[in-house]
Amino acid sequence: MTGVTSMPPCAPNGVKTKVFGTLSGAVTVRVEPVGRWFEAHLHRRHHHHNLSHTSGSLRSDSSSDSSDDDLEYDEDDSMLLTLDPKEWKNQDHYAVLGLSKVRHEATADDIKRAYKRMVLKHHPDKRKPKDGVTKPRQSGDDDYFTCITRAYEILGNRTKRRSYDSVDPNFDDSVPPLNNNSRENFFKEFSKVFERNARWSKKKRVPQLGDANSTLEEVNKFYHFWYDFDSWREFSYLDEEEKEKGENREERRWIERQNKTSRQSRKKEETTRMRQLVDNAYACDPRIKRFKEEEKEKKAAEKKAKQEAAKAAQMEKERERREALEAERLAKEKEEEEAKAKAQAAKKERDAAKKVLKKERKMLRDICKKDNYFTDSEADRVKHMADVEMLCDRLSAVNLQTLNESLSKADQTAAAEIFSKQVSDMHAEMERERQEDLRKLQEAQSGKGGGGGSGGAGKNWSEEEIQLLVKAVKLFPAGTVSRYEVIANFINQHSTSEHKKTAKDVINKTKNLQKLDSAQKEEVNKRAFDKFEQTKSKAKKQDLSAPSERLDTADAVEEKKSPETAEGPKPWSTDEQKRLEQALKTYPANTKERWDRIAEAVPGRSKKECMLRYKELVEMVKAKKAAQAAVAKK
């Protein structure tokens, strides 16, 4: 405490003050409060009591009974007389001490004072007769005073009292049912039940049920607390046997396991009861129903707003799409107009160039015609006329214009020399082009520049091998299993060369052939086809006839007289090939006069030609299967 210095009083009227000395400076002194009086002060301030409430607690023990007036006891002597000390565990300990009205709300001091009061009144040595009759004293544990002692032993010990309070016989464990009364009187029915069960919470700040005006946050907090309710209630007081009664360690362990199982079962039932209570309250709570409806309306409003926003976005997107399409259409029209204008301009330029070229060509012809084509010989004149036409075809408009100017300015002799020189240059250039094309064809046929490899990869391809390659590529199209190995095997089977071709050689050669221009490709294919037709035409007539059918003499004679036979077999077109295949399917082998009907189905082809073509196709299929089988064996 801090000391406080007071000022001296003022002098009365008419009296003069005199100074006799000076005062020393104020000194602050700190004092530590101790003692029972300070303790009583703190107790009153903590419990909000007045001074008279704790004045009696400072007296001696003999005078402490005067404070018993704070409690209202409900002693029942007749009940005490009926107690059986042997059944002390089943008695109501609060009722024995006269605290049945306060029960679990009684403090430790209340229990202690109640016990002292019961001792002074019911101790065997201090009993007073009632109505002149005194209950005789019994010996040992048979006296009912033992029940009072047992009650104090249970309630006076904090742990044992907690265990007894958990199974308080006066506690109401009932749960309001789900009915109309619970729904109509929800707050009245459930408020007292939750307040009654709040005593079991380990957390001291238990939220209240509230009223109809409670907010969603308060309601959610309330149910969240009770759904996660943490109870300190335990049921050890109901243990059927005490562990200390076991004769040995094993028996005591067995008793402990049995008690533990019983406690867990009761704890589970208590948890189920609390969960049922909260579920019933949640189901009957009118606020939950209202909140759900509000949430539903809110979601409906949000959904509607979202749909409207999506609709607006869709309309905006559709508008933008239409604008984009319109802009694209306008841009496309503009591009088309520009392209059309460019095309027209290009066409005009081409037309102008054609006119210029046509004009220059006419001028060249007129000049040459005027000078009698620079010769007097009739044979040379025809040749020069052809040269003039070739010059008109090969020279551009600029070159023609230059040539015409040169011819116009020169005399006849000089013009003849100029014309002769121009023709010579043209023929020399044509010869160079022809030689270059021939060289390219020879290089393609000889396989120069092909890939390396083992075996016959490094050797040149002969014309026979190239023809076999072209034929095999058509015979084994893309998609054939191990295609290039099959083609290489086919070439090796039908080639007379000693050098064997590999799949790598075939791939490299095929790539080289694909690089040729269209004219060269056509030339190679034509050579391969001619070689193939020449080989097939050497087949013997007796081998071409089917076992079931023979050519008659009249047909054979007619075929020999045919001009087509003398000139060589006529190639089969795609349409004729399709008609032949369809006729072979339509008329099977057991059909009478089969080949006559097949020949009728293929216009322009005789019976013998159809049979020869069928034989060729059979040999081609056999060769194809043989090549594939050889590759499969590898």
Side-chain angles (χ1 to χ4, degrees), residues 7-20:
M7 299 296 293
C10 298
N13 296 331
V15 179
K16 295 182 179 180
T17 59
K18 295 181 180 180
V19 179
F20 297 97

Side-chain angles (χ1 to χ4, degrees), residues 70-74 94 98-107 110-111 161 168:
D70 295 346
L71 292 176
E72 183 179 354
Y73 297 98
D74 53 346
Y94 286 110
L99 299 174
S100 58
K101 293 184 178 180
V102 291
R103 302 191 72 80
H104 69 279
E105 295 179 354
T107 64
D110 295 339
I111 294 173
R161 182 185 179 187
D168 190 350

Side-chain angles (χ1 to χ4, degrees), residues 476-488 624 627-632:
F476 304 101
T480 305
V481 179
S482 303
R483 182 192 183 196
Y484 291 103
E485 294 181 0
V486 174
I487 293 174
K624 181 177 180 180
Q628 291 178 337
V631 173

Side-chain angles (χ1 to χ4, degrees), residues 80-247:
L80 293 176
L81 295 176
T82 59
L83 294 177
D84 185 0
K86 295 180 181 181
E87 300 293 334
W88 63 270
K89 197 169 186 180
N90 297 329
Q91 70 184 15
D92 187 351
H93 299 304
Y94 286 110
V96 170
L97 296 181
L99 299 174
S100 58
K101 293 184 178 180
V102 291
R103 302 191 72 80
H104 69 279
E105 295 179 354
T107 64
D109 291 338
D110 295 339
I111 294 173
K112 188 174 183 180
R113 289 197 302 271
Y115 174 65
K116 289 181 178 180
R117 188 171 180 275
M118 297 301 290
V119 168
L120 293 176
K121 184 175 181 180
H122 295 283
H123 193 276
D125 296 337
K126 298 182 179 182
R127 289 177 186 169
K128 295 180 181 180
K130 184 176 182 182
D131 299 333
V133 180
T134 303
K135 181 176 178 64
R137 177 177 181 179
Q138 298 178 0
S139 61
D141 294 337
D142 295 336
D143 193 84
Y144 74 90
F145 184 74
T146 304
C147 296
I148 299 175
T149 305
R150 289 286 187 179
Y152 181 69
E153 289 178 357
I154 297 298
L155 301 181
N157 185 290
R158 183 178 180 181
T159 303
K160 293 181 179 180
R161 182 185 179 187
R162 187 184 187 94
S163 178
Y164 175 73
D165 286 342
S166 297
V167 295
D168 190 350
N170 286 6
F171 181 75
D172 185 9
D173 285 335
S174 63
V175 175
L178 287 173
N179 51 31
N180 293 332
N181 183 44
S182 299
R183 292 183 174 88
E184 293 174 358
N185 303 317
F186 171 76
F187 297 101
K188 182 179 179 181
E189 292 290 333
F190 283 92
S191 294
K192 55 185 179 182
V193 179
F194 280 108
E195 291 176 0
R196 184 168 65 241
N197 286 274
R199 60 181 288 191
W200 310 123
S201 177
K202 288 183 180 180
K203 299 178 181 179
K204 296 305 178 183
R205 294 184 179 181
V206 181
Q208 299 297 321
L209 180 61
D211 52 19
N213 298 324
S214 299
T215 62
L216 176 62
E217 182 180 358
E218 294 173 347
V219 174
N220 288 338
K221 181 179 179 181
F222 172 81
Y223 283 107
H224 178 74
F225 176 86
W226 283 99
Y227 271 119
D228 297 334
F229 186 71
D230 189 8
S231 174
W232 57 262
R233 194 176 189 185
E234 48 94 9
F235 302 90
S236 60
Y237 187 81
L238 299 179
D239 292 346
E240 295 183 1
E241 298 186 52
E242 297 181 4
K243 183 175 65 174
E244 289 76 10
K245 292 182 180 180
E247 297 181 357

Side-chain angles (χ1 to χ4, degrees), residues 53 168 189 248 257 283 299 342 460 484 503 563 581 618 625:
H53 182 77
D168 190 350
E189 292 290 333
N248 51 47
R257 287 196 298 270
K299 288 184 178 179
K342 290 181 180 179
N460 294 335
Y484 291 103
E581 293 175 358
V618 170
K625 289 183 178 179

